[in-house]
Amino acid sequence: AWLERVSARYRAALQGRTRVEEVRRRGRVFTVQTVPLKNSEGAVYAALTLVQNVTEQREAEDTTKRLLDLSRDLNATLNTATLLDTVSTAAAQLTKAEHGQVHLVHPELLDVSMTARRAMDDRSVTLESGPWLHMLRVPIVNLTDETLGFLEVAREREDAPFGNIERQRLEGLAQIAAIALQNALSFQHLRRLGQQLVSAQEAERRSLSRELHDSTGQILMALKMSLSMLQEEMAEQNSDIQEQVTEIGDMVNSVYEEIRAVSHALRPPSLEVNNIDEALQGLCEDYARHSGLQIIYEGCNPPELPETISISLYRLLQEALTNVAKHAQATKVAVKLRNGNDEIELSVHDNGIGFELDEVMTRQRHRGVGLPGLRERFELLGGRVSVRSQTGQGTQIAGLYKLAE
């Protein structure tokens, strides 16, 4: 095969054609260029072959491509565990090491270990050859000069020690890892702020609900009792005045019921005494009783959830059932709470007339209410809301939270 390739090169040169090809031998890469040599009359009288070792160039190109691909993959995820696994594997592959590891030192990414504490004090590149292993360690530093951690690779003592090429590759990987880890860190900040925002909103709602129930509700009850006493004292008086007092009493009753309903909407009492499954079932029963809808609820035995997530699921069902009752012209609604694969999902599916999704979402987004508001709330807590609807084919709304982090 080797002789055939050589013959083909020279035949091409003797025909006046230049031939360039790449050859790999024993782990090295060469470019072989065969050119015709012509005399003053233009006739080919010989062929010249030029061989160049381009192993380092090709390895550099391959490393650059792998780093670009890796950058794309790392920036596609915000999960710290996935980032660490991917970077550790890439570190070992790029340096042809037997072991690759990422040690995090930033307190918001992971607890600081003793080895990490030593690394924070010394951010230089470390090349070591011990009794059993060759070691290479490179710091991971973000754009604000914070040390997020370091990359470490190791080879057995019998293998060749690490050199400048491996160091450069690991430094390139460390730069990419720093960006990906900083993105994950920023996402954790955003999620934490979102949780604080939702918690503050719920605390304000709880306070307002209690104020309406305890203060305003008591005033109205006192007014209702006073009107009842006034009616008794005016039993022998003008019937027109008695009728007016009765109407006022009815109005007070209506206002009291409205305030009670608003208070419960602000802070559902069922969530105070029941788990999320029982609270959702109770909400379905209440809506079915008041709206006449056939609501089929299928629950599960959920784990203990953070309060913010429980309330978000409850709000989602409230909004979905309100939309069904007001707009869907549906007769049947299926509600399902599912717990599995480290996630909890609530879905609401009706058999109504459906709607044009983009149009409704745009209108509600401008008003800052409805499904866009719920979607933002779920996203702030690390969840997501999906909506599927088509005119004449009903609507399905689902809210999902990942439980394992």
Side-chain angles (χ1 to χ4, degrees):
W2 174 80
L3 186 60
E4 289 178 2
R5 287 198 300 270
V6 172
S7 299
R9 291 179 203 138
Y10 280 97
R11 283 198 302 270
L14 293 175
Q15 293 171 5
R17 292 182 287 113
T18 297
R19 180 166 175 156
V20 181
E21 58 185 324
E22 198 166 273
V23 178
R24 295 178 181 269
R25 289 181 63 84
R26 298 178 181 177
R28 296 182 177 273
V29 184
F30 302 90
T31 56
V32 180
Q33 183 178 11
T34 305
V35 297
L37 299 179
K38 300 180 182 180
N39 59 23
S40 59
E41 297 177 355
V44 177
Y45 68 89
L48 175 65
T49 298
L50 304 173
V51 180
Q52 183 180 7
N53 187 344
V54 294
T55 304
E56 290 187 5
Q57 180 182 342
R58 292 294 180 267
E59 288 181 347
E61 291 172 354
D62 180 63
T63 299
T64 301
K65 181 180 182 302
R66 291 170 68 180
L67 288 175
L68 287 173
D69 292 342
L70 185 64
S71 176
R72 183 192 63 241
D73 294 341
L74 290 177
N75 288 320
T77 180
L78 294 169
N79 184 283
T80 307
T82 302
L83 290 175
L84 297 181
D85 287 342
T86 304
V87 172
S88 298
T89 302
Q93 292 175 346
L94 286 170
T95 59
K96 298 178 181 178
E98 295 184 12
H99 309 285
Q101 193 169 5
V102 182
H103 297 278
L104 295 178
V105 301
H106 198 288
E108 294 188 47
L109 287 171
L110 272 184
D111 292 333
V112 181
S113 65
M114 293 307 296
T115 55
R117 288 184 187 276
R118 291 197 295 272
M120 280 195 292
D121 297 332
D122 181 12
R123 297 199 308 190
S124 61
V125 176
T126 305
L127 281 163
E128 297 178 358
S129 291
W132 298 282
L133 294 172
H134 299 297
M135 305 282 293
L136 172 60
R137 181 184 297 126
V138 172
I140 303 172
V141 183
N142 66 12
L143 295 177
T144 58
D145 206 36
E146 286 184 294
T147 301
L148 303 180
F150 62 94
L151 287 175
E152 186 176 85
V153 291
R155 286 178 181 165
E156 296 295 335
R157 188 70 178 85
E158 293 77 14
D159 298 329
F162 294 105
N164 286 332
I165 292 178
E166 289 89 355
R167 177 182 61 79
Q168 291 171 1
R169 291 176 180 177
L170 206 60
E171 286 177 334
L173 177 59
Q175 293 176 5
I176 294 172
I179 296 173
L181 287 170
Q182 187 61 53
N183 288 341
L185 187 61
S186 299
F187 178 71
Q188 289 184 19
H189 284 164
L190 179 62
R191 177 176 291 186
R192 193 176 302 112
L193 288 173
Q195 291 170 345
Q196 292 172 355
L197 175 61
V198 172
S199 296
Q201 289 174 341
E202 289 303 325
E204 186 65 25
R205 288 187 177 195
R206 186 186 298 112
S207 176
L208 182 56
S209 173
R210 188 178 298 116
E211 185 69 21
L212 284 172
H213 181 271
D214 295 344
S215 179
T216 309
Q218 289 179 8
I219 292 172
L220 287 172
M221 285 300 297
L223 178 58
K224 181 179 177 182
M225 292 173 62
S226 297
L227 287 172
S228 298
M229 293 171 61
L230 183 59
Q231 272 186 311
E232 292 177 1
E233 293 177 1
M234 296 177 60
E236 305 298 330
Q237 302 295 324
N238 189 306
S239 59
D240 290 340
I241 296 177
Q242 288 185 15
E243 185 176 338
Q244 290 177 7
V245 171
T246 301
E247 289 178 358
I248 294 172
D250 292 339
M251 290 168 55
V252 170
N253 284 333
S254 297
V255 172
Y256 177 77
E257 291 300 324
E258 284 291 332
I259 288 179
R260 185 172 177 270
V262 170
S263 175
H264 287 183
L266 287 169
R267 181 66 183 180
S270 57
L271 283 176
E272 302 285 355
V273 295
N274 299 323
N275 64 30
I276 184 61
D277 181 57
E278 295 167 337
L280 295 178
Q281 183 175 5
L283 182 60
C284 288
E285 292 171 354
D286 288 343
Y287 260 83
R289 188 164 51 251
H290 295 139
S291 66
L293 287 167
Q294 181 186 2
I295 302 177
I296 301 172
Y297 177 76
E298 181 182 344
C300 66
N301 185 24
E304 185 174 351
L305 300 175
E307 182 184 39
T308 50
I309 291 181
S310 293
I311 293 175
S312 294
L313 293 171
Y314 192 91
R315 300 283 185 216
L316 177 69
L317 183 56
Q318 275 184 318
E319 178 69 21
L321 292 179
T322 299
N323 287 341
V324 172
K326 285 185 176 180
H327 311 295
Q329 300 179 28
T331 58
K332 185 177 179 179
V333 184
V335 180
K336 183 176 181 179
L337 182 67
R338 179 183 64 82
N339 171 39
N341 298 324
D342 295 324
E343 62 187 25
I344 187 151
E345 181 184 42
L346 174 66
S347 62
V348 184
H349 192 183
D350 68 65
N351 66 346
I353 59 175
F355 57 85
E356 292 297 328
L357 186 59
D358 292 340
E359 178 184 341
V360 171
M361 294 294 283
T362 300
R363 185 170 63 248
Q364 291 189 341
R365 187 178 296 111
H366 289 158
R367 293 163 52 199
V369 297
L371 293 174
L374 279 170
R375 179 171 284 171
E376 290 176 4
R377 181 191 184 103
F378 268 69
E379 289 174 353
L380 284 173
L381 297 173
R384 66 177 185 269
V385 172
S386 61
V387 183
R388 290 187 297 173
S389 186
Q390 192 171 347
T391 303
Q393 297 188 23
T395 301
Q396 181 171 356
I397 300 173
L400 181 142
Y401 282 109
K402 285 282 186 183
L403 301 178
E405 281 291 341

